[in-house]
Amino acid sequence: MKLSVPGAHRIPGRPVRPGRISVRATTAAVAGLAAVGLLATAAPAVSATPAAPPVSTRPAQSTSTAPAALAAPDIPLANVKAHLTQFSSIAAANGGNRAHGRAGYLASVNYVKGKLDAAGFTTSVQQFTSSGATGYNLIADWPGGDPNQVVMSGSHLDSVTSGAGINDNGSGSAAVLETALAVSRAQLQPAKHLRFAWWGAEELGLVGSRYYVNNLPTAERAKISGYLNFDMIGSPNPGYFVYDDDPTIEQTFKDYYAGIGVATEIETEGDGRSDHAPFKNVGIPVGGLFSGAGYIKSAAQAQKWGGTSGQAFDRCYHSSCDTTANINDTALDRNSDAAAHAVWTLSANSSGPSGEVFETVDDVTIPDNGPTITSAVTVSGRTGNAPAALKVGVDIKHTWRGDVVIDLIGPSGTVYRLKDSSGNDSADNVIATYTVNASSETANGVWRLRVQDVAAQDTGYIDSWRLTF
């Protein structure tokens, strides 16, 4: 897990187009999944502010998923620990670490890739440059499943330079690897497509995962129905923390722990500091697990989970003592099984919008540090309510997207928060697809995208936005 939030990455804009509104119906076609290959290195009228809506604000949500047809297998702890032993040996043979730009990191990539290739995955290595050194992301796709609905699991494979990084983040990397190998052993044929990833240069600021997301075409981003992140899941004085981002993913993990009688808490220590953040920033539903880093375990937490109160969850966080001795077997075993449970459950059933699209491409200027503006799309010709997985595609050109707050307002006046402002999000533009549970809304009517720039010195406009039913 990294120490601080990364800097800017620019996404090229497209020229302003003449204003026009178009409504079109399309049918989503199942296409072959584009392989993630080796990428080149890269570093208007304004509506009046609407009256306060009569219904309380609700966050964007993902559609619920039915239970998996097959139960996930138990992930053998011995297998996960065997991967940790390999990571430890790799570090010992390469200067004591597996950090970005060091031989130990590339050796770690080659180890994981070799296991996946032998198990029947389609693997690819994506290169990027950071701090003057070449970095690598490893992507592995399991054959089959709906290519338009991808369940993705990932972890960062790099360590800091001070040690082997066995908990941070050999633990997550090993669990994701063994879950992928369990998919192969079971010859799983899920409804959704499965993809696994191991990220480089996370410790330098989420560099690898941010590079992957920023270089993924908008259409490919929209196919990722959920990203699961596993960073530090074997802490020696562990807690059981679940990300509180996408409610469906969160509940999937909570259901697993409830089933084994383990209480969980919302994860806060690593919020925005691991590889789920770049996915979340473009509207992809995210979730994940964490067993704690430098924060101190309270007496109440020690009573609930065991361990020692008044001590850090991981006293060897970012230190040379983060070795194979720095792992709690029970936490690693439970979290590995939870990872498999989520992969099996979330990929088991394929569901999604029918593909009818209503769009406006009228440009609407966003005042710098000014009032809210809205852009409207009128939906007609549909019956009943909107779906529980309404897709809201947004293309906003802006010179500092961290200033931008975005809401969807339904025909009833209900406000759905799509994106908050963030002083740490320094990239350009908001090009993302959000999933909203709008099942309480009548489909037909006027839907509005409401946008506000909440800080000075940066400008932008709504280029286009669309609803996919």
Side-chain angles (χ1 to χ4, degrees):
M1 178 172 291
K2 77 177 187 73
L3 287 170
S4 60
V5 179
H9 179 93
R10 294 187 171 270
I11 304 175
R14 68 185 184 211
V16 178
R17 298 168 295 178
R20 65 187 188 280
I21 296 177
S22 65
V23 178
R24 66 178 186 268
T26 62
T27 302
V30 177
L33 185 68
V36 183
L38 205 62
L39 296 185
T41 300
V46 179
S47 303
T49 303
V55 186
S56 60
T57 300
R58 301 191 304 212
Q61 298 181 359
S62 298
T63 182
S64 298
T65 304
L70 296 174
D74 178 77
I75 300 298
L77 175 63
N79 291 8
V80 181
K81 294 192 70 177
H83 300 315
L84 295 183
T85 298
Q86 289 297 319
F87 292 147
S88 178
S89 297
I90 287 169
N94 291 280
N97 65 67
R98 300 180 303 104
H100 166 74
R102 309 295 179 90
Y105 179 73
L106 185 54
S108 298
V109 170
N110 289 336
Y111 168 75
V112 175
K113 186 177 187 300
K115 292 288 187 181
L116 295 165
D117 287 341
F121 283 82
T122 300
T123 63
S124 59
V125 177
Q126 182 184 50
Q127 292 187 16
F128 58 89
T129 300
S130 181
S131 300
T134 301
Y136 306 93
N137 293 325
L138 173 62
I139 312 298
D141 284 279
W142 180 244
D146 183 353
N148 293 306
Q149 297 187 84
V150 179
V151 174
M152 191 169 186
S153 303
S155 60
H156 75 87
L157 189 54
D158 63 316
S159 73
V160 292
T161 57
S162 59
I166 298 303
N167 185 39
D168 185 15
N169 181 39
S171 61
S173 294
V176 173
L177 173 57
E178 193 56 34
T179 297
L181 296 179
V183 166
S184 174
R185 288 193 295 268
Q187 287 298 291
L188 188 64
Q189 297 181 0
K192 296 181 182 179
H193 182 79
L194 291 177
R195 182 176 299 158
F196 299 86
W198 290 261
W199 308 117
E202 188 269 359
E203 298 292 3
L204 300 186
L206 318 183
V207 178
S209 56
R210 184 180 295 268
Y211 184 87
Y212 174 83
V213 171
N214 285 346
N215 284 277
L216 199 63
T218 303
E220 293 301 316
R221 290 179 183 176
K223 295 176 183 179
I224 302 177
S225 60
Y227 171 73
L228 315 178
N229 195 59
F230 303 94
D231 190 353
M232 300 182 67
I233 60 171
S235 301
N237 190 28
Y240 293 88
F241 300 100
V242 176
Y243 296 9
D244 65 332
D245 292 294
D246 178 76
T248 298
I249 298 174
E250 178 185 4
Q251 192 60 50
T252 301
F253 285 123
K254 286 182 174 179
D255 288 347
Y256 171 79
Y257 287 107
I260 63 172
V262 175
T264 61
E265 291 185 8
I266 292 172
E267 194 282 314
T268 58
E269 181 179 3
D271 194 21
R273 292 171 52 195
S274 193
D275 292 300
H276 61 291
F279 290 85
K280 181 179 178 179
N281 288 343
V282 297
I284 294 171
V286 302
L289 302 177
F290 178 57
S291 57
Y295 281 18
I296 303 301
K297 179 178 280 189
S298 69
Q301 289 170 328
Q303 183 175 17
K304 177 166 48 181
W305 293 322
T308 306
S309 64
Q311 288 187 4
F313 294 101
D314 184 355
R315 290 183 292 174
C316 291
Y317 174 56
H318 282 186
S319 299
S320 61
C321 59
D322 188 7
T323 66
T324 52
N326 192 47
I327 291 291
N328 180 283
D329 284 359
T330 300
L332 183 64
D333 191 22
R334 289 171 171 171
N335 287 324
S336 298
D337 289 340
H341 169 79
V343 167
W344 257 252
T345 300
L346 294 170
S347 68
N349 291 278
S350 181
S351 61
S354 66
E356 189 173 13
V357 177
F358 296 83
E359 179 181 34
T360 177
V361 293
D362 262 2
D363 295 339
V364 180
T365 301
I366 303 169
D368 184 27
N369 194 24
T372 61
I373 55 92
T374 63
S375 174
V377 166
T378 299
V379 174
S380 62
R382 296 197 56 89
T383 59
N385 284 9
L390 178 66
K391 299 294 185 182
V392 186
V394 175
D395 187 343
I396 293 176
K397 300 301 189 288
H398 200 276
T399 53
W400 188 287
R401 71 183 183 199
D403 292 355
V404 177
V405 178
I406 308 173
D407 295 311
L408 175 71
I409 304 177
S412 71
T414 300
V415 178
Y416 304 84
R417 176 57 50 90
L418 303 181
K419 178 189 175 299
D420 284 310
S421 61
S422 172
N424 295 317
D425 189 5
S426 59
D428 286 358
N429 305 332
V430 182
I431 303 173
T433 300
Y434 302 94
T435 303
V436 174
N437 183 352
S439 57
S440 64
E441 299 278 351
T442 300
N444 290 336
V446 179
W447 297 75
R448 291 179 172 84
L449 192 74
R450 185 172 69 186
V451 181
Q452 185 175 21
D453 182 329
V454 299
Q457 299 182 346
D458 287 275
T459 59
Y461 62 96
I462 301 174
D463 192 0
S464 64
W465 71 282
R466 70 206 61 83
L467 297 171
T468 305
F469 286 79

